[in-house]
Amino acid sequence: MNWTLAQRAEKMNPSVIREILKVTEIPGIISFAGGLPSPQTFPIEEMRVACERVLSQDGKVALQYAASEGYGPLREWVAQDLRKQGMQVSPDQVLITTGSQQGLDLVAKILIDAGSRILVETPTYLGALQAFTPMEPTVVSVNSDAHGVDAEDLRAKAGTGADKARFVYLLPNFQNPTGRTMTEERRAAVAQVALETGLPIIEDNPYGDLWFDAPPAPSLSSRHPDGSVYLGSFSKILAPGLRLGYLIAPKTLYPKLLQAKQAADLHTPSFNQRVVAEVLKDGFIDRHVPTIRALYKKQCEAMLAALEREMAGLGLTWNRPAGGMFLWVQLPPGMKAIPLLDKAVKKGVAFVPGSAFYAQGADESTVRLSFVTATVDQINTGMVALAAAIRESL
């Protein structure tokens, strides 16, 4: 058979990160590539107990079809938890999604037409670009620095009339890929631009709970509630295998997102939702997340120390994230990350070339490093190998 693909299918591309992860399956490879939470953080015993309780008490209901909006007690928990972000949310604004990635897909389906302009940071999350691209938008990169997206460039690119951007997509906290965090001053400026131009914000916050020493500033959505869609996830604070996330939408937009959700998968698995609601009750998350923060801070500090030790004199620069899972490296002038990756893998270490995260004008000399799945010993060994690969490339 000769299948005729839709034009949107032709625009779909494989995830560079997923392809690189295949390399990390080679025995002996130390991976700084994947954006995977550490399995050490998974609350396995709590999940086992919760599964047994849900099956014994509500098994027939938990294994049945359920409401597309999500499990009521879980929606209530999300609304309550978001108060720490400065948000005043009612449960009927909460839509439980099959991972926060589905939230990006739903936003793309209801807000993007072919040729419509959308704005993203420089660089930005690859998974968002993958979700948006099949809808055939014109993706415009907004200038960004260590403090986040530049408010004045955002204003200049927001557009007006028929040329007005549909939304700006932002990750203010411990951004993937750079690990940077938007400052309070920058958040205030970005929110003001959004309010004055009528520019909607899609705020993605999968890493916001993973701060090391102090929580980030209040969310953009708390400053622009009628013009924001907020995406959250349980993947980084419980377990990604549950595929459980959520979005918060203004009541005027929520019905269309719900309809898109119904068309996609009817509802997020009801069993998973009930298990997570069972785990979360009685304040478990407030006891659990600090253990994740402590582990990731230790690993981040180990990677920063190894970079300072092993990369001395090689001309690299890097940032110092205040939380999350990633840090961002600038290679010496003229050195490209993709050829370097080939040499690094031969020496037993892998990373993600930063060029994959740019919508436009990719910087081929950038690298994303994840510090959360490698032990301190692996970090030290991997940095020695990476430094050797860099010396060979100079």
Side-chain angles (χ1 to χ4, degrees), residues 72-151:
L74 185 59
R75 297 169 73 201
E76 292 171 4
W77 185 93
V78 169
Q80 177 70 24
D81 187 67
L82 287 176
R83 292 185 180 183
K84 67 187 180 187
Q85 297 272 349
M87 297 170 63
Q88 299 298 319
V89 173
S90 64
D92 61 2
Q93 290 178 267
V94 180
L95 178 62
I96 303 298
T97 57
T98 308
S100 62
Q101 185 70 22
Q102 185 182 52
L104 294 171
D105 180 70
L106 301 181
V107 164
K109 286 176 178 175
I110 71 163
L111 293 181
I112 300 176
D113 288 314
S116 56
R117 293 172 65 249
I118 63 171
L119 310 180
V120 299
E121 297 173 271
T122 307
T124 191
Y125 172 49
L126 174 60
L129 296 177
Q130 287 185 293
F132 299 154
T133 297
M135 299 298 108
E136 304 179 77
T138 299
V139 183
V140 178
S141 295
V142 181
N143 294 341
S144 307
D145 59 24
H147 304 300
V149 68
D150 181 271

Side-chain angles (χ1 to χ4, degrees), residues 171-209:
L171 297 96
N173 299 325
F174 321 123
Q175 192 229 31
N176 183 358
T178 64
R180 69 191 177 205
T181 298
M182 193 179 292
T183 61
E184 166 61 31
E185 181 181 12
R186 189 65 61 85
R187 290 173 200 241
V190 167
Q192 189 63 31
V193 169
L195 285 164
E196 292 176 359
T197 63
L199 177 66
I201 295 173
I202 309 301
E203 180 174 15
D204 198 358
N205 188 32
Y207 309 103
D209 286 320

